[in-house]
Amino acid sequence: MELSSLYLPTELPWSSISVTIICIYIAYFVVRIGFFHPKDEAPVRYEVPLPEQAKAGWSGKILEKPAIKIPGSSVIQCYNPATGQLLGNINPATPDGIDRALARAAEAQQEWAKTTFTQRRKVLRTMLKFILDNQEDIATVVCLDSGKTKVDAMLGEILVTVEKLQWTIKHGEKALRPERRPTNFLMMYKHNEVRWEPLGVLAACVSWNYPFHNALSPIISTLFAGSALLLKPSESTAFSSVYFTSIARSALTACSHSPHLIQSLPCWPSTANHLTSHPGISHITFIGSRPIAHAVCASASRSLTPVCVELGGKDPAVLLDSLSLHRLEHHVLPILMKGIFTSAGQNCIGIERIIALPNTYALLVPLLTTRIQNLRLGSSLSNNNNNTNSSNETIDIGPLISPSRFPTLTHLISSAVSQGATLHCGGTPYPHPTHPSGHYFSPTLLSAVTPSMEIAQTELFAPIALVMRASSTAHAIAMANSTPYALGASVFGGRRRRWSSSGGDPDVEACVRGITAGMVSVNDFGAYYATGLPFGGVKGSGYGRFGGEEGLRGICNVKAVCRDARWASWMGVGTRIPGVLRFSSERAEGEEEEGLVGQGRKVAFLKGMMGLGYGEGLGRRVRGLWEMWKNG
């Protein structure tokens, strides 16, 4: 019977099957982490006091016009951007405080650099257990400080953090283990290797949009690489940074290591310059905006400190015409909605542009309009000033971190409409009826957007969907590459046909090859972020990578080591400078000076050596050996 005549069911409950597989994997992961690890890496149970503001029943004062800066004061005022509730004040770090913190970290790092990978894994396993045991409390603190929903906190903060912990535990040693490198014919007696060694004290200046993950991610990598870290969190999320760094510091203490390896230094930009230019810092990771990146890199250049720069993006999602209506509506659209509106669009790898080919474009806009109009804004924690939402209402989107960009966003939208774009919904700040002090912006949909519009070239970091029409795959690729940014991208097309060797949509691969970006997801959004791959972009989205082997190695001293191979040492084989190549001052007593003739012999000897080592055929190599023997 031919394979093509076999009956293949097309209506299997794939959603249920997928959920079942995922549940089995999660159960395996929990059992493996909880029970199957070496005894000397067993996690240690510890506690970290939960902030009072995150406990049930807490009710904070609502600020009428909340802001992190208080006139006439240097303190950082912390508040919930979803409700305007005051969380407290943080005293910012000073230059003297930074110096003292760096000195403590440097002293602790001297001992930490001597630890084994087993000891470092024990600390990470200890952190992982704490996070899994306390994930809802952590999510609550995230929501309090950033305003995002609990779902966004669980998926975008905790999931990716535990994945990074697991990846580092399972694969970190392999990434940092000395690696053998090949030698060549002339130096066949050598053993070459590359080592990745601790750098010392590192710094990380991270953004506010993912306060938990952006803090823990550099901490995880730094500790496993044997270094110490000074963390400079954003002023906008200074409140939560205290609790989050305490999780790492307490794990170190529980495992009998110094907590001074991790130092949190919330401070104002004028003080941050002292940190980024400090000669005691060996490497800086920066996550933020392009204008701030210019200042950080200029400051770091004073001490020639290397910087890994992760800036924003204007990430495209290309939708090809090979998508069926069913796949578009039931599979692709939910992914697009998450990609656009997660964390109210405040996501560096969020989908900022949907580029659809003609047939898909015609189907897409009405489907998107209904979904976006029905999104619900609010605080997933707060109901009548109580941080446990007792209502049954589902909150889809939280606020922006501050109202500072409202004028820019409304200008960009009105400018696009005046140039021919169609505004289907939203477009203005949203006065929330329950939380008038919150910083909400209406979910917005614009279609008929073109690359020449300012809104198509500007990173929005807001709950705004832009839909652009491409006439062909080549046109879609050109539109995707038309901005100064190149961080991530998504491509959605026909799926690979089952039981077919011809594969799927060839235009998908054309987009993967043609789009200029640091990362691409196929038929998905942001999947590269949770799989141990290097993270980063090109062009105006920065340089360097964190995540994966490349990120872990990037914060190490890359040391090349070349030594005589063991067999060569046993046989007494090693580097000997031939007499013909020695300096004249090394002539044996009574030996005549060679002068110009000697110089010719040296050159002839070296030409023979090149022929022996690199000649393209056996004959040339033999002639090279003869020249060496004759002139040596």
Side-chain angles (χ1 to χ4, degrees):
M1 181 183 292
E2 293 184 2
L3 183 62
S4 58
S5 65
L6 288 173
Y7 171 72
L8 298 177
T10 59
E11 297 299 326
L12 286 174
W14 294 111
S15 297
S16 300
I17 293 172
S18 299
V19 170
T20 302
I21 292 173
I22 292 172
C23 290
I24 292 172
Y25 173 77
I26 292 174
Y28 166 77
F29 164 70
V30 171
V31 171
R32 179 182 175 90
I33 292 297
F35 301 103
F36 295 99
H37 47 70
K39 290 184 178 180
D40 51 358
E41 295 182 16
V44 179
R45 182 177 295 277
Y46 68 100
E47 301 292 334
V48 179
L50 185 67
E52 289 296 322
Q53 297 89 330
K55 296 179 179 177
W58 174 83
S59 178
K61 173 186 175 182
I62 297 179
L63 303 172
E64 185 177 349
K65 293 183 178 180
I68 60 173
K69 184 72 175 175
I70 302 175
S73 174
S74 64
V75 301
I76 301 171
Q77 181 172 254
C78 307
Y79 67 93
N80 183 345
T83 62
Q85 289 173 293
L86 178 66
L87 299 174
N89 296 328
I90 298 288
N91 288 317
T94 63
D96 286 344
I98 291 173
D99 290 341
R100 291 191 295 272
L102 197 151
R104 291 192 296 268
E107 182 179 3
Q109 192 273 334
Q110 294 296 314
E111 290 302 314
W112 180 250
K114 302 173 186 176
T115 56
T116 64
F117 288 124
T118 296
Q119 291 173 299
R120 298 173 194 177
R121 276 193 295 268
K122 182 183 181 74
V123 173
L124 298 193
R125 290 187 189 276
T126 297
M127 287 173 56
L128 176 59
K129 177 173 175 54
F130 178 89
I131 293 169
L132 291 174
D133 290 345
N134 298 274
Q135 53 189 296
E136 192 163 357
D137 286 342
I138 293 169
T140 297
V141 176
V142 168
C143 296
L144 278 172
D145 212 12
S146 69
K148 65 178 61 179
T149 67
K150 266 202 170 180
V151 171
D152 286 348
M154 298 290 286
L155 286 174
E157 305 264 11
I158 296 174
L159 173 66
V160 292
T161 300
V162 296
E163 164 60 28
K164 177 150 189 172
L165 279 163
Q166 179 188 231
W167 183 91
T168 308
I169 290 167
K170 293 176 66 176
H171 307 291
E173 181 175 355
K174 176 179 177 292
L176 298 185
R177 191 183 299 141
E179 185 176 285
R180 179 80 179 270
R181 294 293 174 87
T183 183
N184 57 52
F185 181 75
L186 294 178
M187 300 183 72
M188 65 177 71
Y189 58 93
K190 291 294 185 182
H191 173 95
N192 297 335
E193 69 178 25
V194 178
R195 298 180 180 182
W196 289 270
E197 298 182 345
L199 267 179
V201 180
L202 318 183
C205 304
V206 299
S207 57
W208 45 262
N209 56 329
Y210 287 90
F212 179 65
H213 178 68
N214 284 352
L216 269 291
S217 178
I219 288 174
I220 293 166
S221 298
T222 299
L223 289 178
F224 199 79
S227 291
L229 182 73
L230 301 189
L231 179 73
K232 192 278 176 195
S234 169
E235 310 90 271
S236 297
T237 49
F239 167 78
S240 59
S241 69
V242 176
Y243 175 62
F244 296 151
T245 52
S246 293
I247 292 174
R249 289 168 60 88
S250 297
L252 285 164
T253 300
C255 296
S256 302
H257 300 291
S258 172
H260 297 316
L261 287 164
I262 306 299
Q263 306 276 336
S264 180
L265 300 168
C267 62
W268 296 109
S270 56
T271 304
N273 182 63
H274 183 76
L275 173 65
T276 53
S277 63
H278 203 293
I281 298 296
S282 301
H283 181 279
I284 298 172
T285 296
F286 174 79
I287 304 174
S289 67
R290 291 179 70 184
I292 304 298
H294 290 154
V296 169
C297 292
S299 174
S301 68
R302 299 176 199 169
S303 300
L304 297 179
T305 304
V307 185
C308 174
V309 180
E310 193 276 289
L311 308 180
K314 191 71 178 172
D315 288 11
V318 176
L319 275 59
L320 301 172
D321 271 347
S322 53
L323 288 169
S324 66
L325 174 60
H326 178 81
R327 244 178 66 73
L328 176 65
E329 184 173 6
H330 297 286
H331 297 274
V332 177
L333 268 178
I335 295 175
L336 291 179
M337 291 292 289
K338 278 293 183 184
I340 297 165
F341 295 106
T342 289
S343 296
Q346 300 167 117
N347 182 0
C348 58
I349 57 169
I351 296 173
E352 292 239 349
R353 296 173 294 154
I354 300 174
I355 302 171
L357 270 67
N359 295 340
T360 302
Y361 181 92
L363 300 170
L364 176 68
V365 174
L367 292 172
L368 269 178
T369 302
T370 303
R371 286 161 171 76
I372 295 174
Q373 286 175 333
N374 292 329
L375 290 172
R376 287 168 286 196
L377 285 73
S379 169
S380 62
L381 295 180
S382 179
N383 185 51
N384 297 325
N385 294 340
N386 188 311
N387 78 317
T388 51
N389 193 340
S390 59
S391 72
N392 293 320
E393 181 185 12
T394 297
I395 300 300
D396 299 308
I397 301 179
L400 299 189
I401 195 69
S402 83
S404 62
R405 286 186 51 77
F406 284 178
T408 299
L409 295 174
T410 53
H411 162 74
L412 290 170
I413 292 168
S414 61
S415 175
V417 171
S418 69
Q419 295 177 61
T422 301
L423 178 63
H424 298 269
C425 57
T428 60
Y430 175 70
H432 201 285
T434 307
H435 308 298
S437 294
H439 308 319
Y440 295 92
F441 197 89
S442 300
T444 301
L445 173 61
L446 280 167
S447 66
V449 176
T450 63
S452 61
M453 297 176 183
E454 187 180 2
I455 199 168
Q457 299 294 319
T458 305
E459 183 183 27
L460 301 178
F461 237 54
I464 300 174
L466 305 181
V467 184
M468 309 171 76
R469 184 182 185 277
S471 59
S472 65
T473 301
H475 186 207
I477 294 171
M479 293 175 74
N481 293 336
S482 65
T483 76
Y485 300 96
L487 186 57
S490 298
V491 182
F492 295 88
R495 300 298 293 267
R496 180 177 290 276
R497 294 190 293 273
R498 296 184 183 89
W499 314 109
S500 171
S501 61
S502 61
D505 189 346
D507 286 343
V508 169
E509 185 58 31
C511 289
V512 172
R513 290 195 311 268
I515 294 175
T516 301
M519 306 163 289
V520 178
S521 282
V522 176
N523 289 321
D524 209 336
F525 152 72
Y528 42 73
Y529 200 52
T531 52
L533 290 171
F535 184 93
V538 293
K539 293 169 60 176
S541 291
Y543 52 84
R545 297 291 185 270
F546 54 83
E549 288 190 6
E550 293 81 359
L552 194 55
R553 291 174 171 183
I555 56 171
C556 294
N557 173 36
V558 184
K559 180 182 287 184
V561 179
C562 180
R563 57 160 58 97
D564 290 340
R566 187 173 299 176
W567 65 265
S569 298
W570 289 342
M571 298 178 64
V573 176
T575 299
R576 302 289 186 272
I577 304 298
V580 69
L581 296 182
R582 295 181 183 178
F583 292 120
S584 58
S585 61
E586 299 178 275
R587 294 195 313 273
E589 187 176 351
E591 186 178 356
E592 296 183 2
E593 187 172 352
E594 293 179 306
L596 294 176
V597 177
Q599 189 73 10
R601 283 182 57 197
K602 293 176 189 288
V603 171
F605 179 88
L606 290 172
K607 288 175 66 177
M609 185 179 73
M610 305 300 178
L612 174 63
Y614 307 100
E616 67 274 17
L618 178 61
R620 186 158 188 173
R621 290 184 178 242
V622 171
R623 287 195 301 273
L625 181 60
W626 167 251
E627 290 294 329
M628 290 178 66
W629 181 83
K630 183 173 66 173
N631 293 284

